[in-house]
Amino acid sequence: MVQQTAGADPYFPANGDARYRVHRYELALDYRPGPNRLSGTARINAIAGRAPLAEFQLNLADFRVGRLRVDGRAPHYTHRGGRLRIRPAKPIRAGAAFTVEVHWSGNPKPVRSPWGGLGWEELTDGALVASQPVGAPSWYPCNDRPADKASYQISITTPSAYSVVAGGRLLTRTTKASTTTWVYEQSAPTSSYLVGLSIGKYQTVLLGDPGLGGVPQAGHIPAHLLTEFSRDFARQPAMMELFEELFGPYPFGEYAVVVTEEELDVPVEAQGLSLFGANHADGARGSERLVAHELAHQWFGNSVSIADWRHIWLNEGFAKYAEWLWSERSGGRSAQALAGVAHRKLASMPQDLRLGDPGRKSMFDDRLYERGGLVLHAVRCVLGDDAFFRMLRAWAALHRGGAVTSAAFAAHVARYSAEPLDELFSSWLHETALPALPSPSAAIPARPPYPPRNA
């Protein structure tokens, strides 16, 4: 179920177009790392909304646009400021399916944002895509709004010395002369910012044995980091098993992690894929909580996405709480202890963050992550473990492939509670003052059982 916002995203009004939705993207790309040259063709299958479309827009950064067609006919278009405004030769009927074909080329680079460059990043030897929240147009034309989710097929041709890793299933890998073409399919509905991609010289290893019906997990890493990686990510299969127990079945067909040659400030989640820097592979499990955080995003943030960026705590708060659950279930500190640490940290910081609508400047504030985790802990303390985890599994199942709001989550939680929770959500989400640290109920064990056998 997708809860679309009616108009432009309040934080990024220049991104996305609510007048239509995309069903599928088919991207055929050719990338040459040396000159950092990208050329591509996109076939975009879309459906008009409730009103006829006399014109619509895609987001695309500063590339040269070649051939452009709507249902096979040349439209009038302008391309300025990252917006590709298209006026079809004939208006598209309300509710009608239509197809857009775009050819583009140029030197990809990150798009500017309040957090620095986002999207396609040229590395010393390869490239990396980290698009959250508005970097997707740095490399392909898209309806760049998180609730507009589509399936993807991505074909990428590069020199054969490079590996290409994208979210989804690798359909084919074909080598001709000095180039190799990689074709990936992501059939699950995917937000534009969650289309991940990495091009580099990697060694591929399998993580654990998924067995029959299990989730295949692969790591793609520089060969010289193999020893560190094998320790730092050794417990990821146990995390997968635990999160499937707590959150329900893994929502995609496979999961890949990439470690780049270069350092990254923070890891980046994409759909079916997480991207880490070389600094996250220290051989001492120094970033293990981040391994859990990025994996949890596959349920919360990727499969269950947000209707617009005001609700980002539903991504980050859930992933933060998954860190605490992993710690609790793997012999580390309990969620209650970690909630206490987070609460003391927040109490020493300014009390001016409104979690349910933090504003664009604060949507990646550390306080949003910690306070978001505390919301989940407060709900758990009220519901008790049995109802809390039933609630989480139902939330992930009901909204699989969809997009949600804070109000939808509050209404969902209320169905599992014997007492009204309006005050709880009001104080944690809509007021800036920090509520008191929640106290666990008798229905939360002081030391939950350890995670599955291979931890």
Side-chain angles (χ1 to χ4, degrees):
M1 185 172 85
V2 177
Q3 299 181 10
Q4 291 269 20
T5 45
D9 188 294
Y11 292 0
F12 302 99
N15 283 64
D17 189 334
R19 295 172 292 181
Y20 72 97
R21 60 186 176 86
V22 178
H23 170 67
R24 181 170 175 81
Y25 293 86
E26 294 177 354
L27 308 178
L29 310 174
D30 187 292
Y31 181 64
R32 305 299 157 135
N36 185 38
R37 184 75 179 173
L38 177 70
S39 60
T41 301
R43 181 180 176 86
I44 302 169
N45 297 322
I47 300 170
R50 296 177 180 177
L53 279 181
E55 60 95 22
F56 61 93
Q57 78 168 34
L58 291 163
N59 293 104
L60 179 64
D62 187 22
F63 291 97
R64 185 181 69 82
V65 174
R67 175 185 167 93
L68 177 59
R69 295 290 185 269
V70 177
D71 290 334
R73 301 178 67 181
H76 175 74
Y77 72 90
T78 61
H79 184 209
R80 286 191 295 271
R83 296 198 215 189
L84 187 57
R85 297 180 183 273
I86 302 170
R87 183 177 293 274
K90 181 181 178 182
I92 299 164
R93 290 180 294 106
F98 64 101
T99 301
V100 184
E101 294 183 28
V102 185
H103 296 232
W104 74 100
S105 60
N107 300 104
K109 61 185 179 182
V111 297
R112 286 180 293 186
S113 83
W115 308 279
L118 297 173
W120 189 287
E121 184 175 348
E122 181 185 10
L123 303 179
T124 302
D125 194 16
L128 172 74
V129 169
S131 292
Q132 187 179 16
V134 289
S138 69
W139 64 289
Y140 75 101
C142 57
N143 190 13
D144 193 30
R145 48 191 282 122
D148 192 24
K149 304 174 72 170
S151 66
Y152 282 78
Q153 185 173 107
I154 306 177
S155 168
I156 309 172
T157 300
T158 61
S160 296
Y162 294 86
S163 296
V164 174
V165 185
R169 184 163 60 99
L170 178 62
L171 297 182
T172 60
R173 184 178 65 187
T174 307
T175 299
K176 294 181 180 178
S178 61
T179 65
T180 298
T181 299
W182 307 67
V183 181
Y184 283 88
E185 174 74 28
Q186 177 56 270
S187 57
T190 306
S191 301
S192 51
Y193 82 92
L194 289 170
V195 184
L197 181 65
S198 184
I199 299 170
K201 295 175 180 176
Y202 299 126
Q203 183 168 329
T204 299
V205 298
L206 298 180
L207 284 159
D209 178 3
L212 290 175
V215 180
Q217 299 174 63
H220 306 273
I221 51 184
H224 68 90
L225 290 176
L226 180 59
T227 299
E228 291 83 356
F229 176 87
S230 63
R231 176 166 174 77
D232 293 326
F233 288 78
R235 300 208 293 181
Q236 184 181 282
M239 293 176 188
M240 178 71 78
E241 197 171 343
L242 175 65
F243 290 169
E244 286 200 303
E245 173 196 327
L246 299 181
F247 308 148
Y250 179 73
F252 308 117
E254 52 285 301
Y255 182 57
V257 293
V258 171
V259 177
T260 72
E261 281 276 11
E262 301 185 24
E263 294 191 356
L264 299 179
D265 290 340
V266 293
V268 180
E269 78 272 11
Q271 188 132 314
L273 171 69
S274 293
L275 306 166
F276 294 81
N279 50 311
H280 300 123
D282 60 5
R285 292 181 178 165
S287 296
E288 188 172 82
R289 71 171 184 85
L290 299 176
V291 177
H293 184 105
E294 302 309 324
L295 176 58
H297 270 312
Q298 302 305 319
W299 284 263
F300 306 115
N302 299 6
S303 176
V304 181
S305 301
I306 49 176
D308 64 57
W309 291 107
R310 290 174 297 181
H311 311 286
I312 188 172
W313 82 271
L314 287 169
N315 294 1
E316 301 304 343
F318 278 61
K320 171 60 69 173
Y321 199 62
E323 295 178 28
W324 300 354
L325 290 172
W326 169 249
S327 173
E328 180 172 85
R329 294 287 290 264
S330 62
R333 287 184 289 180
S334 69
Q336 179 66 24
L338 291 168
V341 172
H343 195 272
R344 288 190 293 275
K345 178 180 176 182
L346 289 173
S348 69
M349 302 173 81
Q351 305 287 306
D352 58 1
L353 178 76
R354 183 170 285 104
L355 188 65
D357 187 0
R360 189 168 81 167
K361 288 183 178 179
S362 297
M363 57 187 283
F364 296 114
D365 192 302
D366 285 349
R367 295 172 296 167
L368 181 138
Y369 292 63
E370 303 290 349
R371 185 160 175 153
L374 285 169
V375 174
L376 273 294
H377 193 65
V379 170
R380 182 184 178 191
C381 288
V382 171
L383 298 185
D385 269 14
D386 179 65
F388 176 74
F389 289 111
R390 281 192 293 113
M391 178 277 295
L392 274 189
R393 287 189 291 270
W395 176 250
L398 284 168
H399 299 287
R400 181 170 178 163
V404 296
T405 63
S406 299
F409 180 66
H412 176 78
V413 173
R415 292 196 284 271
Y416 292 81
S417 176
E419 59 185 86
L421 297 177
D422 296 355
E423 186 176 335
L424 183 152
F425 282 109
S426 177
S427 61
W428 281 102
L429 297 184
H430 306 303
E431 296 172 16
T432 58
L434 181 66
L437 177 67
S439 300
S441 70
I444 298 179
R447 173 54 61 187
Y450 273 34
R453 58 189 176 278
N454 62 347

PDB file of all heavy atoms in Angstrom, residues 61-77:
ATOM      1  N   ALA A  61      20.276  15.381 -13.956  1.00  0.00           N
ATOM      2  CA  ALA A  61      21.332  16.382 -13.767  1.00  0.00           C
ATOM      3  C   ALA A  61      21.853  16.889 -15.118  1.00  0.00           C
ATOM      4  O   ALA A  61      21.270  16.638 -16.171  1.00  0.00           O
ATOM      5  CB  ALA A  61      22.459  15.786 -12.923  1.00  0.00           C
ATOM      6  N   ASP A  62      22.974  17.555 -15.065  1.00  0.00           N
ATOM      7  CA  ASP A  62      23.480  18.315 -16.217  1.00  0.00           C
ATOM      8  C   ASP A  62      24.155  17.400 -17.235  1.00  0.00           C
ATOM      9  O   ASP A  62      25.379  17.396 -17.381  1.00  0.00           O
ATOM     10  CB  ASP A  62      24.453  19.388 -15.717  1.00  0.00           C
ATOM     11  CG  ASP A  62      24.893  20.313 -16.832  1.00  0.00           C
ATOM     12  OD1 ASP A  62      24.172  20.399 -17.842  1.00  0.00           O
ATOM     13  OD2 ASP A  62      25.955  20.941 -16.683  1.00  0.00           O
ATOM     14  N   PHE A  63      23.348  16.620 -17.964  1.00  0.00           N
ATOM     15  CA  PHE A  63      23.829  15.798 -19.075  1.00  0.00           C
ATOM     16  C   PHE A  63      23.330  16.385 -20.390  1.00  0.00           C
ATOM     17  O   PHE A  63      22.393  17.183 -20.417  1.00  0.00           O
ATOM     18  CB  PHE A  63      23.301  14.360 -18.951  1.00  0.00           C
ATOM     19  CG  PHE A  63      23.884  13.582 -17.816  1.00  0.00           C
ATOM     20  CD1 PHE A  63      23.211  13.478 -16.604  1.00  0.00           C
ATOM     21  CD2 PHE A  63      25.107  12.929 -17.952  1.00  0.00           C
ATOM     22  CE1 PHE A  63      23.739  12.747 -15.553  1.00  0.00           C
ATOM     23  CE2 PHE A  63      25.640  12.200 -16.906  1.00  0.00           C
ATOM     24  CZ  PHE A  63      24.964  12.110 -15.705  1.00  0.00           C
ATOM     25  N   ARG A  64      23.940  15.924 -21.462  1.00  0.00           N
ATOM     26  CA  ARG A  64      23.406  16.252 -22.777  1.00  0.00           C
ATOM     27  C   ARG A  64      22.294  15.262 -23.102  1.00  0.00           C
ATOM     28  O   ARG A  64      22.513  14.044 -23.093  1.00  0.00           O
ATOM     29  CB  ARG A  64      24.502  16.178 -23.841  1.00  0.00           C
ATOM     30  CG  ARG A  64      24.031  16.635 -25.232  1.00  0.00           C
ATOM     31  CD  ARG A  64      25.134  16.536 -26.256  1.00  0.00           C
ATOM     32  NE  ARG A  64      25.471  15.149 -26.542  1.00  0.00           N
ATOM     33  CZ  ARG A  64      24.792  14.369 -27.394  1.00  0.00           C
ATOM     34  NH1 ARG A  64      23.730  14.837 -28.023  1.00  0.00           N
ATOM     35  NH2 ARG A  64      25.191  13.136 -27.602  1.00  0.00           N
ATOM     36  N   VAL A  65      21.111  15.762 -23.382  1.00  0.00           N
ATOM     37  CA  VAL A  65      19.979  14.907 -23.730  1.00  0.00           C
ATOM     38  C   VAL A  65      19.930  14.764 -25.244  1.00  0.00           C
ATOM     39  O   VAL A  65      19.928  15.766 -25.981  1.00  0.00           O
ATOM     40  CB  VAL A  65      18.656  15.496 -23.201  1.00  0.00           C
ATOM     41  CG1 VAL A  65      17.466  14.672 -23.699  1.00  0.00           C
ATOM     42  CG2 VAL A  65      18.675  15.538 -21.681  1.00  0.00           C
ATOM     43  N   GLY A  66      19.938  13.511 -25.709  1.00  0.00           N
ATOM     44  CA  GLY A  66      19.835  13.247 -27.135  1.00  0.00           C
ATOM     45  C   GLY A  66      18.397  12.960 -27.524  1.00  0.00           C
ATOM     46  O   GLY A  66      17.502  13.788 -27.324  1.00  0.00           O
ATOM     47  N   ARG A  67      18.149  11.779 -27.976  1.00  0.00           N
ATOM     48  CA  ARG A  67      16.803  11.388 -28.390  1.00  0.00           C
ATOM     49  C   ARG A  67      15.864  11.350 -27.185  1.00  0.00           C
ATOM     50  O   ARG A  67      16.207  10.833 -26.126  1.00  0.00           O
ATOM     51  CB  ARG A  67      16.868  10.014 -29.066  1.00  0.00           C
ATOM     52  CG  ARG A  67      15.521   9.404 -29.446  1.00  0.00           C
ATOM     53  CD  ARG A  67      15.770   7.992 -29.978  1.00  0.00           C
ATOM     54  NE  ARG A  67      14.531   7.242 -30.081  1.00  0.00           N
ATOM     55  CZ  ARG A  67      13.789   7.162 -31.173  1.00  0.00           C
ATOM     56  NH1 ARG A  67      14.154   7.825 -32.256  1.00  0.00           N
ATOM     57  NH2 ARG A  67      12.691   6.426 -31.191  1.00  0.00           N
ATOM     58  N   LEU A  68      14.678  11.882 -27.362  1.00  0.00           N
ATOM     59  CA  LEU A  68      13.636  11.848 -26.326  1.00  0.00           C
ATOM     60  C   LEU A  68      12.300  11.575 -27.011  1.00  0.00           C
ATOM     61  O   LEU A  68      11.933  12.270 -27.970  1.00  0.00           O
ATOM     62  CB  LEU A  68      13.606  13.178 -25.569  1.00  0.00           C
ATOM     63  CG  LEU A  68      12.533  13.355 -24.485  1.00  0.00           C
ATOM     64  CD1 LEU A  68      12.661  12.289 -23.403  1.00  0.00           C
ATOM     65  CD2 LEU A  68      12.652  14.740 -23.847  1.00  0.00           C
ATOM     66  N   ARG A  69      11.575  10.562 -26.527  1.00  0.00           N
ATOM     67  CA  ARG A  69      10.302  10.193 -27.110  1.00  0.00           C
ATOM     68  C   ARG A  69       9.292   9.891 -26.008  1.00  0.00           C
ATOM     69  O   ARG A  69       9.655   9.343 -24.952  1.00  0.00           O
ATOM     70  CB  ARG A  69      10.432   8.949 -28.005  1.00  0.00           C
ATOM     71  CG  ARG A  69      11.308   9.147 -29.245  1.00  0.00           C
ATOM     72  CD  ARG A  69      10.648  10.045 -30.255  1.00  0.00           C
ATOM     73  NE  ARG A  69      11.416  10.157 -31.500  1.00  0.00           N
ATOM     74  CZ  ARG A  69      12.340  11.082 -31.721  1.00  0.00           C
ATOM     75  NH1 ARG A  69      12.609  11.987 -30.772  1.00  0.00           N
ATOM     76  NH2 ARG A  69      12.983  11.132 -32.867  1.00  0.00           N
ATOM     77  N   VAL A  70       8.041  10.252 -26.254  1.00  0.00           N
ATOM     78  CA  VAL A  70       6.922   9.856 -25.396  1.00  0.00           C
ATOM     79  C   VAL A  70       5.961   9.071 -26.281  1.00  0.00           C
ATOM     80  O   VAL A  70       5.446   9.610 -27.275  1.00  0.00           O
ATOM     81  CB  VAL A  70       6.211  11.078 -24.776  1.00  0.00           C
ATOM     82  CG1 VAL A  70       5.003  10.624 -23.959  1.00  0.00           C
ATOM     83  CG2 VAL A  70       7.179  11.866 -23.902  1.00  0.00           C
ATOM     84  N   ASP A  71       5.782   7.790 -25.941  1.00  0.00           N
ATOM     85  CA  ASP A  71       4.971   6.893 -26.775  1.00  0.00           C
ATOM     86  C   ASP A  71       5.406   6.949 -28.234  1.00  0.00           C
ATOM     87  O   ASP A  71       4.586   6.963 -29.171  1.00  0.00           O
ATOM     88  CB  ASP A  71       3.481   7.225 -26.648  1.00  0.00           C
ATOM     89  CG  ASP A  71       2.917   6.848 -25.284  1.00  0.00           C
ATOM     90  OD1 ASP A  71       3.493   5.935 -24.653  1.00  0.00           O
ATOM     91  OD2 ASP A  71       1.928   7.460 -24.855  1.00  0.00           O
ATOM     92  N   GLY A  72       6.720   7.001 -28.439  1.00  0.00           N
ATOM     93  CA  GLY A  72       7.265   6.948 -29.778  1.00  0.00           C
ATOM     94  C   GLY A  72       7.291   8.265 -30.529  1.00  0.00           C
ATOM     95  O   GLY A  72       7.811   8.332 -31.651  1.00  0.00           O
ATOM     96  N   ARG A  73       6.756   9.325 -29.958  1.00  0.00           N
ATOM     97  CA  ARG A  73       6.682  10.608 -30.653  1.00  0.00           C
ATOM     98  C   ARG A  73       7.562  11.639 -29.952  1.00  0.00           C
ATOM     99  O   ARG A  73       7.688  11.642 -28.723  1.00  0.00           O
ATOM    100  CB  ARG A  73       5.234  11.109 -30.716  1.00  0.00           C
ATOM    101  CG  ARG A  73       4.301  10.149 -31.430  1.00  0.00           C
ATOM    102  CD  ARG A  73       2.869  10.654 -31.426  1.00  0.00           C
ATOM    103  NE  ARG A  73       2.718  11.883 -32.232  1.00  0.00           N
ATOM    104  CZ  ARG A  73       1.565  12.529 -32.365  1.00  0.00           C
ATOM    105  NH1 ARG A  73       0.469  12.088 -31.732  1.00  0.00           N
ATOM    106  NH2 ARG A  73       1.492  13.619 -33.111  1.00  0.00           N
ATOM    107  N   ALA A  74       8.144  12.522 -30.738  1.00  0.00           N
ATOM    108  CA  ALA A  74       9.025  13.552 -30.173  1.00  0.00           C
ATOM    109  C   ALA A  74       8.186  14.612 -29.464  1.00  0.00           C
ATOM    110  O   ALA A  74       7.287  15.202 -30.073  1.00  0.00           O
ATOM    111  CB  ALA A  74       9.845  14.193 -31.279  1.00  0.00           C
ATOM    112  N   PRO A  75       8.463  14.877 -28.192  1.00  0.00           N
ATOM    113  CA  PRO A  75       7.747  15.930 -27.467  1.00  0.00           C
ATOM    114  C   PRO A  75       8.544  17.235 -27.500  1.00  0.00           C
ATOM    115  O   PRO A  75       9.693  17.275 -27.931  1.00  0.00           O
ATOM    116  CB  PRO A  75       7.704  15.378 -26.047  1.00  0.00           C
ATOM    117  CG  PRO A  75       9.042  14.691 -25.916  1.00  0.00           C
ATOM    118  CD  PRO A  75       9.369  14.134 -27.286  1.00  0.00           C
ATOM    119  N   HIS A  76       7.934  18.291 -27.002  1.00  0.00           N
ATOM    120  CA  HIS A  76       8.695  19.502 -26.696  1.00  0.00           C
ATOM    121  C   HIS A  76       9.255  19.337 -25.284  1.00  0.00           C
ATOM    122  O   HIS A  76       8.590  18.795 -24.401  1.00  0.00           O
ATOM    123  CB  HIS A  76       7.787  20.732 -26.753  1.00  0.00           C
ATOM    124  CG  HIS A  76       8.479  21.985 -26.326  1.00  0.00           C
ATOM    125  ND1 HIS A  76       9.407  22.632 -27.113  1.00  0.00           N
ATOM    126  CD2 HIS A  76       8.401  22.702 -25.165  1.00  0.00           C
ATOM    127  CE1 HIS A  76       9.869  23.685 -26.477  1.00  0.00           C
ATOM    128  NE2 HIS A  76       9.279  23.756 -25.292  1.00  0.00           N
ATOM    129  N   TYR A  77      10.502  19.764 -25.067  1.00  0.00           N
ATOM    130  CA  TYR A  77      11.045  19.638 -23.709  1.00  0.00           C
ATOM    131  C   TYR A  77      12.046  20.754 -23.438  1.00  0.00           C
ATOM    132  O   TYR A  77      12.622  21.350 -24.363  1.00  0.00           O
ATOM    133  CB  TYR A  77      11.695  18.271 -23.496  1.00  0.00           C
ATOM    134  CG  TYR A  77      13.013  18.064 -24.205  1.00  0.00           C
ATOM    135  CD1 TYR A  77      14.218  18.393 -23.586  1.00  0.00           C
ATOM    136  CD2 TYR A  77      13.057  17.540 -25.499  1.00  0.00           C
ATOM    137  CE1 TYR A  77      15.438  18.200 -24.233  1.00  0.00           C
ATOM    138  CE2 TYR A  77      14.264  17.337 -26.147  1.00  0.00           C
ATOM    139  CZ  TYR A  77      15.442  17.672 -25.512  1.00  0.00           C
ATOM    140  OH  TYR A  77      16.651  17.475 -26.147  1.00  0.00           O
TER     141      TYR A  77
END
